Amino acid sequence: MTYLWDDPANFADDALTGFCELHADLVRQVPGGAVRRGRPERPKVAVLPGGGSGHYPAFYGVIGPGLADGAVSGNLFTSPSAQDACSVARAAHSGAGVVFSYGNYAGDVMNFGLAADRLRSEGVEVEHVVVTDDIASAPAEESERRRGIAGDFTVFKLMGAAAEEGAELAEVVRIGRKTNGRTRTIGTAFAGCSFPGAAEPLFQVPDGHMGLGLGIHGEPGLRDVPLPSAAELAEDFVARVLAEKPDGAGGRVAVLLNGLGAVKHEELLVLWRHVAARLRDSGHVPVLPEVGELVTSLDMAGVSLTLTWLDDELERLWTAPAWTPAFRRGHITEVRGEETVDEPEAETVGYAPAADSSRRLAEHVVAALRRVETAVRDAEDELGAIDTVAGDGDHGRGMVRGVSAAVEAAERAQLAGAGAGDCLAAAGDGWADRAGGTSGVLWGAGLRAAGEVLGEHAGDAEIAAKAVDALATRIRELGGAEVGDKTLVDALEPFRAALLSATTSSLVEAWGEAATAADRAARDSARLVPRKGRARPLAERSVGTPDPGAVSFALITKVIGDYLTGAST
Amino acid sequence: MTYLWDDPANFADDALTGFCELHADLVRQVPGGAVRRGRPERPKVAVLPGGGSGHYPAFYGVIGPGLADGAVSGNLFTSPSAQDACSVARAAHSGAGVVFSYGNYAGDVMNFGLAADRLRSEGVEVEHVVVTDDIASAPAEESERRRGIAGDFTVFKLMGAAAEEGAELAEVVRIGRKTNGRTRTIGTAFAGCSFPGAAEPLFQVPDGHMGLGLGIHGEPGLRDVPLPSAAELAEDFVARVLAEKPDGAGGRVAVLLNGLGAVKHEELLVLWRHVAARLRDSGHVPVLPEVGELVTSLDMAGVSLTLTWLDDELERLWTAPAWTPAFRRGHITEVRGEETVDEPEAETVGYAPAADSSRRLAEHVVAALRRVETAVRDAEDELGAIDTVAGDGDHGRGMVRGVSAAVEAAERAQLAGAGAGDCLAAAGDGWADRAGGTSGVLWGAGLRAAGEVLGEHAGDAEIAAKAVDALATRIRELGGAEVGDKTLVDALEPFRAALLSATTSSLVEAWGEAATAADRAARDSARLVPRKGRARPLAERSVGTPDPGAVSFALITKVIGDYLTGAST
């Protein structure tokens, strides 16, 4: 259980603020995360880990000399938005480029990818190091599909040490990817964590069992097995990790024995004895092993073992000093340049003068979005309840956050004289920037694509079909889901198809029919099983419950259809 | 829940060994705990915290330059034995004296007290600093009765810094007592912890409530209250601690916001914002505040707030560097002398030649003790089950540990030619040294007292009554319990009274009658309520269940009675 919070919706932000206040001598809060206080004396590569909150000390707990230059921090278990990543990168950039590093999750990959596009357009050199250490999440031959878990820490540490030594961007990236390529983690969970205010844990493990290979957000693992003794668990863990020893690797290894939250220090110490013995038996030498909490999952009861096979270069970087709130090794002195804090520039949005017709249509766009916001707010609890079955129950909250931001952004654009297309595109940007996560980036990018197609066109059936076509294409492109995967695509595709094949030239009629198709498809999604790797262990139970993303998509199209009907009479 | 262990009975030892292996560069394991690796270059005061296990990083996690010189570590939530304390002190002593520091719990006070007596007899200067920071455990006017909780950490830290500066023993003790006198903690628990292998948590808190003021072993707190928000909890905590601001104290404070185990980093950070704001509002300045896990209780869900009002002297010591496995501040370099590890001398026990009659009686003493051991082993589960109602369920295990050690020690003494009295005294020493905790020290000291009275006398009714009288007096003296407090005294006193007032000269008859009285009294203890402060929140439920200490006392007297009956026929 999580016990302490004020507003559950602000829990992640409140924790970040508390952290930045506590460690004000080391870090400075910026929108979307935190950065080291003070600029480096000379330009240095900014190493920027990031991801959802709830994994402290990942990610902002490791900001400091010898490790990270900043961290991008999303909502609980939700990827930060592209805007979050841009904001942190701009604050941390000192002229030598930035490297984002994060676990391999769809939302993170999309949002950091979009951020990189924006930053490059501003002239910032940006690279990525994606961590894929979780051997339980995909077979070795598909290692690029693996998720990133506690191995994050080792990858960040070695990149941070390289950057601190003055390595250039390409070199820091090389070290990061090399470390990731030699890092393997196996984890297990004994009991689920729970979000602030949630009545139930995110997932459950059967009594007397553990979920071997379960992910740090409750993603499905290998299987449930009876609880082993500490000796048995160590033997199993070490055997699984050693089975994936990289070709040509030697015997010196960095080791993390990581507690996920509620497994306590004494338990980790009991386990460590056996892990160390099994490693020694197999000819391995643990180099400065770390036993403690490095990548947690709120109060999840679980533990993971990470090995990184070192060579001379990696060992030098692993043993290098670091000084951060959560991890301190050796002695390090930070040489800081003059303390100058760049105030973020107030965002001013300008639009090319739009035709009156398009500005009138923009009023409808904003009005329809407001209706959508009301409807989504009304449906928040219901969407959350549906999402609880197979997800983390925050779909309603995330949609409300996104739609509200979209309405605000569209209103601002409208006041600034934007036409309908620009308003819709602004709505998309607002949604993506505020909501984060996967649905945020998909809806955001989709709306922007639709807005760009709409442009200053009139709102007829033909252009609406084209705009929706662009929205659907962009969402498919970014999200990569197929029909039948139990995602919003299951409602999106029938909607697009119905609109594209409409035989009527009446937008109201065509939209109404398409919305009906989306609604039917959303309800039909109840019979589907979520695609592999996407959902949590409760996923199987979700058969019989529709996909929350499909349901909210159908709801939104219905509300817009109702608005169109009303507006046309 | 606790999930990882091998043999639950060895959990604490296994964790200590794992710790010492992990941090072999910093610490060295010795019987009863651990000490810093390497001797100081010059004699320095050895600061030795100690107590039961399960509170990591208390106590051995803070061994290192600028903090502790060693730590005495008992079984889970059980005070270390006097022998443990002596062993650690002998290894850590470098010629400038030692100071034991521990929370104010009966078992710790007794065992460290006995250890000090022994060490002083060996020429070692020994002092004590007892921590009494828990404002919920007794009113301010009885502050010497208060328990020690997270404030332990601050007291150890300041004493460690003083000793590192080269302060003499009296000065280190002065700093420790001054710090304790200016330190106040309030804690709360949301859910109980559980021992390895235990089916149920040690205590429970009603759903949606918290146990305000609950102790770190589940001792009773102030009351159960509905779960507050983070802001409300911070306000309440700060108000309670500030209400006990020491006279003349200023506004600069060392602050610990301590997680007890399952309350996670993000929750502590959310809480910190409010604590910091309330402190600032009241004119206080937190100096290098610590937010994290400093004194835990396995996986207990709970949190505590500790304030230490600083003056110039204390602030200098609080901000001084330290480098330990669990706590690192600033830069510190340890100057070590030559690395010489004194092998503990093999214990050789010698006895004055005993009369043949006494050596024959010694055979009976050993044989009777063996019967007791068998009976206690058979009753282990039953004793454990009784203890679960109001205690931590380890009474059976503790008794088995103690009696087994007593038998071994008595056998060794007998082989070395000891008479009956010396065998009994040796049994007592073995029990106290192996079992630790309160029952260990009481039984151990009681048996030794009985053995000293027995000497080389014959085993008649009169000397048996005198020996039991000495045993009872010693136990009452050390333990301080009254009849009716629901302790072993409730069976002990009727037993003593019956034996002293026996009208028969037959030992078998007199003992049999006394054992019957003890048995009746043990069963009658079911109607008693445990004395205040002794038992856990489940204590009230224990009405209807006899006291496990009284039950085991009655069992032992009955087994000895049966042995006497058999031996006399």
Side-chain angles (χ1 to χ4, degrees), chain B residues 5-100:
Chain B
W5 68 83
D6 294 308
D7 178 352
N10 294 334
F11 180 82
D13 286 346
D14 289 346
L16 172 64
T17 305
F19 173 83
C20 292
E21 287 180 12
L22 179 64
H23 298 289
D25 55 327
L26 285 173
V27 303
R28 177 165 68 85
Q29 189 168 7
V30 296
V35 297
R36 280 196 217 172
R37 184 164 287 287
R39 317 271 303 173
E41 205 179 29
R42 278 187 297 271
K44 79 176 275 289
V45 173
V47 175
L48 301 178
S53 289
H55 304 301
Y56 188 89
F59 298 92
Y60 45 73
V62 296
I63 297 176
L67 236 154
D69 295 272
V72 190
S73 190
N75 210 337
L76 281 178
F77 291 9
T78 303
S79 93
S81 70
Q83 172 157 302
D84 292 333
C86 287
S87 156
V88 171
R90 288 179 195 124
H93 186 232
S94 61
V98 309
V99 50
F100 291 125

Side-chain angles (χ1 to χ4, degrees), chain B residues 8 171 198 200 211 248 250 258 270 277 282 311 334 381 447 460 473 489 495:
Chain B
E171 174 67 2
E200 294 293 327
N258 175 57
V270 168
S282 66
D311 58 12
E334 186 177 25
D381 289 349
L447 287 181
D460 58 27
T473 300
V489 167
F495 182 80

Side-chain angles (χ1 to χ4, degrees), chain A residues 171-323:
Chain A
E171 174 66 2
V172 174
V173 170
R174 183 186 68 78
I175 291 292
R177 293 193 179 140
K178 177 176 170 183
T179 305
N180 182 56
R182 299 165 74 98
T183 298
R184 310 280 186 270
T185 300
I186 179 74
T188 194
F190 308 115
C193 53
S194 63
F195 277 12
E200 295 293 326
L202 201 51
F203 65 92
Q204 287 175 320
V205 177
D207 264 1
H209 286 68
M210 65 175 198
L212 183 66
L214 209 100
I216 57 170
H217 313 98
E219 295 93 342
L222 300 170
R223 60 179 174 283
D224 292 338
V225 298
L227 263 184
S229 70
E232 290 161 350
L233 182 63
E235 181 150 356
D236 184 60
F237 266 17
V238 171
R240 286 177 188 275
V241 172
L242 292 189
E244 294 219 9
K245 182 171 181 167
D247 290 342
R252 296 182 69 81
V253 281
V255 189
L256 312 177
L257 187 58
N258 175 57
L260 284 166
V263 163
K264 295 321 306 165
H265 308 280
E266 287 84 355
E267 297 178 86
L268 294 174
L269 293 169
V270 168
L271 187 59
W272 171 250
R273 294 189 62 187
H274 299 294
V275 168
R278 295 290 80 73
L279 287 173
R280 279 195 305 269
D281 292 349
S282 65
H284 286 83
V285 178
V287 178
L288 298 187
E290 286 292 324
V291 177
E293 294 180 342
L294 298 159
V295 177
T296 63
S297 293
L298 293 171
D299 64 325
M300 191 184 296
V303 62
S304 66
L305 173 67
T306 301
L307 253 65
T308 302
W309 276 267
L310 302 170
D311 59 10
D312 289 349
E313 171 180 72
L314 298 189
E315 182 160 338
R316 174 174 50 78
L317 297 168
W318 171 243
T319 57
W323 191 268

